[in-house]
Amino acid sequence: MDILTFMQQMVNGFSLGSMYALIAIGYTMVYGVLRLINFAHGDIMMVGAFLGYTFMAVFDLSFPVTVLLAVTLSAAFGMFMDKIAYKPLREAPKISLLITAIGISFFLENAFTVFAGGVPRAFPVPDYMENIFNVAGVTFSVASILVPIITLILLLGILFVLYKTKYGMAIRALSFDIKTVNLMGIDANTIIALVFGLGSGLAAIGGIFWAVNYPSVEPMMGVLVGLKAFAAAVVGGIGSVTGAVLGGFIIGFTEVVVIAFFPEMGGYKDAFAFIFLILVLLFKPTGIMGEDLEKSRF
Amino acid sequence: MKKILSLAVASALTCGVAMAKEIKVGAVMPMSGPLAAYGQVTNLGLELAHKQQPKLKNGDTIKLVLIDNKGDKVETATATTRLISSDKVVAILGALTSTNTAQTIAIADKKKIPVIASVATNDKLTARRTFANRVCFTDSFQGEVVANFAIESGYKTAVVVIDQAQVYSLGLSKAFQKAFKKKGGKIVKKIKVTSGDKDFKAVVSQIKKINPDFMFMPLYHPEASMIARQSKQLGLKKPMFSGDGVANQTFIDLGGDSVNGYMFTDFFDYTNPPSQTSAEFVKFHEKETGKAEMNSFTALGADTYNILIDAMNRCEDPTNSICINDQIKKTNGFDGVSGKISINSEGNATRSAVIKEIRNGKAGFKATVNP
């Protein structure tokens, strides 16, 4: 393999991985505070993409306004989901929460199939996103380079919120012990809602950029991406935000590398991504950045 | 008085039974899910044909029972069983793709219920099955058409992108490879993908490095459109060719201007209706839907229905599934919406193919290829 193709594949892996990373952050944060793997998270990404589609294709709004509106609405939707589905189950066994999450996932997929139909719709990508750059023979579109940058900025933003703000401190405290935090005068439910809002907002950004890179939206689009992002969160160390981003990149690169080196095996790239997950679970169950599950979070 | 009344009721009843019954015909189509774009246009063909011809010659009415299989194998099996055991249908139309149609045929064959597939092109589908029939051509014919075209256009090396999760893709790629090699072409690389994938930048980068003359991609439209888009992004400009799996407006919508020049084999072109029957159906379609453009799958959907009705009309008892099946296999030179169709004793159709090229967001007619 010549260096040019290698560089091109690296760029491809970087752009794919950063989208998994954006979604993995939401998984990891919700897990951090509630010990819940929110399987509906991939579908929130789909909701975000559909909101983006609606604002752009139906209401003809500009791209930045669309992102802003879709993210805000998705965040609100995440909080609403927490309020009606997860909050009543705070005292229930963890397995009930998990089953509820799977239920919500199916509900969202089917509700969107009913309202939007099953046919994939073309996402109206703004022209400037599709502009192509060519640097020393390596080509990439604006969108594919914008996503990693946005991911890293958002990662820094999330880390800032977690470590430099009062709310961040509350989130971290919550991840240790919900009951004690309540005794300290912090309203745990508000903080949990905040976490859902943040995670869902990020998933919506992930969804919209997914739709920009692969311009079609359909109700099942979140299923596989959600699973991969979940794998990314576990590989990186579930509960760790930096780990989630790292895991996202690792899963993205694994897929690209499989195709680059073994094109005949390309169809099994998902299998390779999940084999990676199994290996990590076997040899370092807490993931790359994860510490002892019962000790610290984030 | 009472006697007369009961006599009247009794005669009315017997008359009713003797006059006309309602016969159920099943349809299994992906109306939602990843293949919905195909299922919906095919079902439109069924419905339009039903509207034109809702009754048999003897006056019996046909009732279409549609079940959505969501493009899923398991759902297809459930739907087929339900149609046969609870709805008591005399025949089943569709299941559309080869993978799903194989499920339908496997179940229906045991229950001796004839199936007419609209666009399931896999070669093996009808082998060793008595009750399996189709109105489309097979993949070996389609693969040969593409290979001939490539060789005639002077393309010597080809990359084949295969969707390993779809029987359709595996069968068609095999047929193409065989025909292409036989005519002196060389397959330089086979790349496997899985339906549902969205990111093909690694695949495209790989093909760009190999630099073949020709790309054959027997995929469905969600994957093929993404490959076309990402090829444009990464600067890969090679002739791209697919089978009937992309014969769909959704493919063009999803691909945008990156599918300009993309070619594919198809069954039918509404701008070149092959017969009077065909032209009339295109007009009827426009009247009913308000759209002049008619998908080729709509034509094939209508043909499955029309051939079934034709076969039923030739049976003394139009509910006798075995007779219907025999008559379907005697279809010879049927004047269908999509062209002349003959069905042989194996249930395979002999018919022509059409090559189309996408220009400015429209699939344009390029050539007709006869078997």
Side-chain angles (χ1 to χ4, degrees), chain A residues 81-97:
Chain A
M81 189 176 73
D82 170 52
K83 191 166 166 61
I84 59 159
Y86 300 136
K87 197 176 155 198
L89 295 172
R90 289 277 194 265
E91 303 299 320
K94 293 286 174 254
I95 189 78
S96 313
L97 273 176

Side-chain angles (χ1 to χ4, degrees), chain B residues 184-254:
Chain B
K186 193 171 170 240
I187 309 285
V188 273
K189 205 79 174 176
K190 285 179 273 183
I191 298 183
K192 286 189 177 160
V193 299
T194 306
S195 29
D197 287 353
K198 288 275 154 40
D199 191 288
F200 296 102
K201 291 200 187 106
V203 171
V204 170
S205 306
Q206 196 66 27
I207 299 175
K208 204 176 158 190
K209 194 187 130 207
I210 299 167
N211 195 27
D213 295 340
F214 183 74
M215 285 163 73
F216 183 54
M217 307 200 283
L219 309 171
Y220 292 125
H221 62 109
E223 290 77 33
S225 61
M226 288 304 134
I227 294 186
R229 259 187 188 266
Q230 289 163 33
S231 295
K232 199 186 164 213
Q233 281 186 12
L234 298 178
L236 174 70
K237 291 184 201 100
K238 292 288 164 196
M240 294 183 202
F241 211 120
S242 283
D244 57 306
V246 303
N248 201 294
Q249 187 58 37
T250 309
F251 173 66
I252 302 174
D253 292 345
L254 292 178

Side-chain angles (χ1 to χ4, degrees), chain A residues 233-254:
Chain A
V234 176
V235 166
I238 194 148
S240 156
V241 175
T242 327
V245 174
L246 192 69
F249 283 126
I250 290 175
I251 297 285
F253 277 113
T254 312

Side-chain angles (χ1 to χ4, degrees), chain A residues 25 29 151-172 194 198 202 241-242 245 298:
Chain A
I25 296 177
M29 285 182 71
T151 307
L152 293 177
I153 293 174
L154 287 172
L155 170 66
L156 292 179
I158 291 283
L159 289 176
F160 177 81
V161 171
L162 279 178
Y163 290 97
K164 301 285 177 193
T165 66
K166 219 168 61 184
Y167 288 108
M169 189 186 271
I171 293 174
R172 281 182 292 140
L194 180 76
L198 272 175
L202 289 173
V241 175
T242 327
V245 174
F298 301 118

Side-chain angles (χ1 to χ4, degrees), chain B residues 315-333:
Chain B
C315 282
E316 203 171 310
D317 173 14
T319 56
N320 179 351
S321 291
I322 295 170
C323 171
I324 298 174
N325 189 53
D326 289 342
Q327 291 303 325
I328 293 171
K329 290 187 196 309
K330 284 181 190 147
T331 304
N332 190 11

Side-chain angles (χ1 to χ4, degrees), chain B residues 81-97:
Chain B
T81 312
R82 208 189 98 188
L83 283 173
I84 296 172
S85 59
S86 111
D87 290 312
K88 310 276 181 214
V89 299
V90 295
I92 295 176
L93 304 176
L96 215 71
T97 58

Side-chain angles (χ1 to χ4, degrees), chain B residues 72 94 142 198 219-220 251 273 287 298 322 334 353 355:
Chain B
D72 181 78
Q142 189 173 193
K198 288 275 154 40
L219 309 171
Y220 292 125
F251 173 66
K287 202 184 102 203
T298 308
I322 295 170
F334 182 80
I355 291 178

Side-chain angles (χ1 to χ4, degrees), chain B residues 25-31 35 38-46 64-69 71-72 75-77 79-80 83 89 91-108 113-122 125-126 131-136 297 300-306 308 328:
Chain B
V25 169
V28 184
M29 293 283 164
M31 300 299 284
L35 303 171
Y38 304 118
Q40 293 185 356
V41 288
T42 313
N43 188 55
L44 176 67
L46 290 188
L64 279 174
V65 187
L66 169 72
I67 302 187
D68 177 11
N69 67 359
D72 181 78
E75 298 266 359
T76 308
T80 310
L83 283 173
V89 299
I92 295 176
L93 304 176
L96 215 71
T97 58
S98 298
T99 314
N100 291 336
T101 308
Q103 300 287 324
T104 299
I105 288 175
I107 295 166
I113 298 290
V115 176
I116 309 182
S118 45
V119 292
T121 48
N122 186 268
L125 211 60
T126 49
F131 290 85
N133 310 282
R134 60 176 136 210
V135 295
C136 52
F297 283 29
L300 287 162
D303 282 344
T304 56
Y305 181 85
N306 289 337
L308 177 68
I328 293 171

